[in-house]
Amino acid sequence: MLKTETPSERDTELDQYDSARLLSVLIDDQLGAVAAVRRALPALTKAVDAALPRIEAGGRLLYAGAGTSGRLGVLDSVELHPTFSWPRERAVAVLAGGESAMFVAVEGAEDDETQGAADVQALQPGPSDVLLALAASGGTPYVLGALHAARTAGALAIGFANNADAPVLAAAEIGVLLDTGAEVISGSTRLKAGSAQKMALNSFSSALMVRLGKVYGNLMVDLKATNAKLVRRAVALTMRAAEVDEAQARAVLEQCGYHVKTAVVALRLGVDVASATQALTLAGGRVRAALAARAE
């Protein structure tokens, strides 16, 4: 039996606990997710370093999964645009059962290996693309089909699974084992197995975006200011990064469509928005490199 499916030897009378004890057990068990992701650090590092040159060459991040794993892939792909201004067309997720499975469980869809392959083939993957194949069990047919299709097309395939020796790990070019073990509620991989997958995906994609120059220092300077909250955040980030007051920050942000990177370079170099844009372009979109180039 898979470790994620094996009944836990602890808390065998879980249904008898009062609410406080029940919640305490459920929360404390999540610490196992953190430990599992920490153990996966070497594999995650290898994955980021292998993905980086492909993404720099114009490749896409493709996600494939079923159930909770698939929904976590969708979540990661969707959040890259507002957080890092990552083009929507370069972060694409496929989910067993189609888009409706995001909201209504389509349990049988995960058994269709042919459909997994077809869904990825429809994206026309190529050698610059990176597929993140997600399966808690590590043997989901839909995910295996997606993975094989991606590798056949020459894409980098990274497999995430919560069981050692899982087919998804073996079939991937890089396997990321998130060994979370038995769940408090036996077999419910939406618990710490799911938490570990979300943590690993967040860490992978965020590290990749930092390496791509989407962050200056530790500031999220490439966000999309698409609502009032994000406009306020853009102002605050510009004030901090450029060391200016609110009026100065807003004045320049209004000239560049609230693009924080451009505002920061313009303010720190004392140049207009057009010159800041040019400096960023020459520096590959990296704020620190743009500032250093002008200082030389």
Side-chain angles (χ1 to χ4, degrees):
M1 184 177 286
L2 297 174
K3 287 178 72 175
T4 50
E5 306 293 334
T6 302
S8 174
E9 297 298 326
R10 299 172 54 194
D11 303 296
T12 56
E13 296 183 350
L14 191 72
D15 61 342
Q16 312 248 355
Y17 294 175
D18 63 25
S19 296
R21 186 179 179 191
L22 176 59
L23 288 166
S24 179
V25 167
L26 288 165
I27 292 167
D28 288 348
D29 196 55
Q30 292 289 330
L31 296 173
V34 179
V37 178
R38 286 292 300 171
R39 289 192 295 270
L41 178 59
L44 284 168
T45 300
K46 184 178 180 181
V48 170
D49 288 345
L52 183 62
R54 295 177 186 245
I55 300 302
E56 286 180 322
R60 298 170 294 171
L61 289 171
L62 309 177
Y63 300 72
T68 297
S69 299
R71 294 183 191 100
L72 290 170
V74 172
L75 182 64
D76 199 70
S77 70
V78 168
E79 290 181 343
L80 292 179
H81 178 69
T83 308
F84 299 110
S85 293
W86 189 247
R88 290 188 178 94
E89 66 273 14
R90 293 184 66 191
V92 184
V94 294
L95 178 63
E99 289 185 10
S100 63
M102 189 71 189
F103 304 98
V104 180
V106 185
E107 297 298 346
E110 71 175 49
D111 297 328
D112 195 339
E113 185 169 347
T114 301
Q115 190 61 53
D119 286 351
V120 167
Q121 287 166 351
L123 300 176
Q124 298 182 312
S128 293
D129 293 327
V130 178
L131 175 78
L132 307 179
L134 311 162
S137 69
T140 307
Y142 178 89
V143 177
L144 287 169
L147 197 157
H148 290 308
R151 292 208 69 177
T152 298
L156 172 67
I158 304 170
F160 294 77
N162 296 81
N163 288 289
D165 302 318
V168 163
L169 300 179
E173 190 169 336
I174 299 172
V176 179
L177 170 62
L178 304 168
D179 190 1
T180 44
E183 298 283 2
V184 170
I185 299 175
S186 298
S188 181
T189 51
R190 63 182 290 270
L191 297 176
K192 69 173 178 288
S195 296
Q197 287 196 344
K198 186 177 192 303
M199 203 180 311
L201 284 174
N202 273 351
S203 300
F204 171 85
S205 61
S206 296
L208 195 57
M209 292 298 129
V210 173
R211 295 291 310 277
L212 289 167
K214 299 288 187 178
V215 172
Y216 173 53
N218 64 349
L219 304 178
M220 190 175 76
V221 293
D222 216 356
L223 81 165
K224 284 286 186 186
T226 52
N227 58 36
K229 176 189 72 176
L230 292 174
V231 166
R232 290 194 298 271
R233 188 175 296 168
V235 172
L237 288 167
T238 302
M239 290 170 62
R240 185 176 182 87
E243 299 179 326
V244 296
D245 62 27
E246 182 175 349
Q248 291 173 291
R250 283 188 180 275
V252 177
L253 283 167
E254 287 172 1
Q255 295 173 39
C256 61
Y258 280 83
H259 188 229
V260 176
K261 276 186 176 182
T262 304
V264 170
V265 172
L267 287 162
R268 291 193 71 94
L269 294 180
V271 299
D272 59 26
V273 165
S275 297
T277 301
Q278 182 180 31
L280 275 169
T281 300
L282 292 173
R286 290 169 166 80
V287 172
R288 195 177 297 277
L291 297 177
R294 286 298 294 261
E296 292 175 353

